[in-house]
Amino acid sequence: MGKKKSNKKGASANPVIATNRRARHDYTILETHECGVVLVGTEVKALREGRASLNDAFATIDDGEVWLRGLHIPEYSHGNWTNHPPRRNRKLLLHRAEIDSLIGKTRDGNNTLVPLSLYFKDGRLKVELGLARGKQDYDKRQDIKRRTEEREITRELGRRVKGIKG
C-alpha cells in the first residue's frame, strides 16, 4: 500500500480568519476550548472570503447550550435574498461534559467566555473559546511593565552576544 498524499500546505493549513486582540489585554485567560459553530451557507462563503469581526463578541450558556453572540459576519458579496443577518446568535458545539464544566466555572460570576480566534480546521469553522477573568487597570500596567522588561533583557543579551557595548 502506498502512502496517502496530503494536499495541505503546511503552516497555512488552518488560516486564522479573525482574532480578538483585545481579549488577552482585557482578560486573564484561564483555559481554552475548541468549539464548532453552527452556520448557514452564506456565512461559510463570507468567512472563506476572510471577512469576520470578533470585536464585541462573547459567549453565553442558556439552557445547557453555548451561544456565540455579537460575532459579525458580513453578508456574502454574491448572495441574494438568502443572505444571513450579520450579527445573529450562533450555536457553539461542545461535548456535554465540557458544557457542564463551563457552567460550573462561570456560575460564580467572576469568569466569562470570550472568543479568542476564528479559523477553519479540516473544512469546518472552529472558535477558540477562552474562560477568562477580567483584569483590573493595575494588572494591565503590570503586564505592560513585565513585557517591556523582558524585551529590554533580550535586547541586552543580543548586544552582549554581538559584542556591542551599550
Side-chain angles (χ1 to χ4, degrees), residues 71-86:
L71 170 65
H72 184 266
I73 301 175
E75 291 185 347
Y76 179 54
S77 59
H78 300 295
N80 50 19
W81 59 272
T82 60
N83 252 336
H84 62 278

Side-chain angles (χ1 to χ4, degrees), residues 39-80:
L39 299 172
V40 297
T42 55
E43 288 176 328
V44 176
K45 292 177 181 182
L47 287 168
R48 294 225 182 262
E49 290 178 345
R51 300 166 48 202
S53 173
L54 283 172
N55 295 346
D56 304 328
F58 62 99
T60 59
I61 302 174
D62 301 328
D63 299 327
E65 296 178 338
V66 184
W67 293 88
L68 185 61
R69 302 177 189 280
L71 170 65
H72 184 266
I73 301 175
E75 291 185 347
Y76 179 54
S77 59
H78 300 295
N80 50 19

Side-chain angles (χ1 to χ4, degrees), residues 8-21:
K8 291 185 180 177
K9 295 179 180 134
S12 65
N14 293 337
V16 175
I17 298 165
T19 57
N20 191 348
R21 297 178 68 193

Side-chain angles (χ1 to χ4, degrees), residues 55-125:
N55 295 346
D56 304 328
F58 62 99
T60 59
I61 302 174
D62 301 328
D63 299 327
E65 296 178 338
V66 184
W67 293 88
L68 185 61
R69 302 177 189 280
L71 170 65
H72 184 266
I73 301 175
E75 291 185 347
Y76 179 54
S77 59
H78 300 295
N80 50 19
W81 59 272
T82 60
N83 252 336
H84 62 278
R87 286 205 183 264
R88 74 178 188 89
N89 297 334
R90 293 162 179 94
K91 188 175 181 179
L92 295 181
L93 305 173
L94 286 159
H95 292 285
R96 172 57 49 199
E98 290 177 312
I99 294 173
D100 292 341
S101 170
L102 289 175
I103 288 172
K105 292 174 181 174
T106 58
R107 184 171 288 149
D108 63 359
N110 291 337
N111 298 334
T112 186
L113 298 173
V114 180
L116 302 174
S117 63
L118 200 63
Y119 56 92
F120 280 104
K121 182 177 179 182
D122 298 330
R124 300 179 195 279
L125 184 73

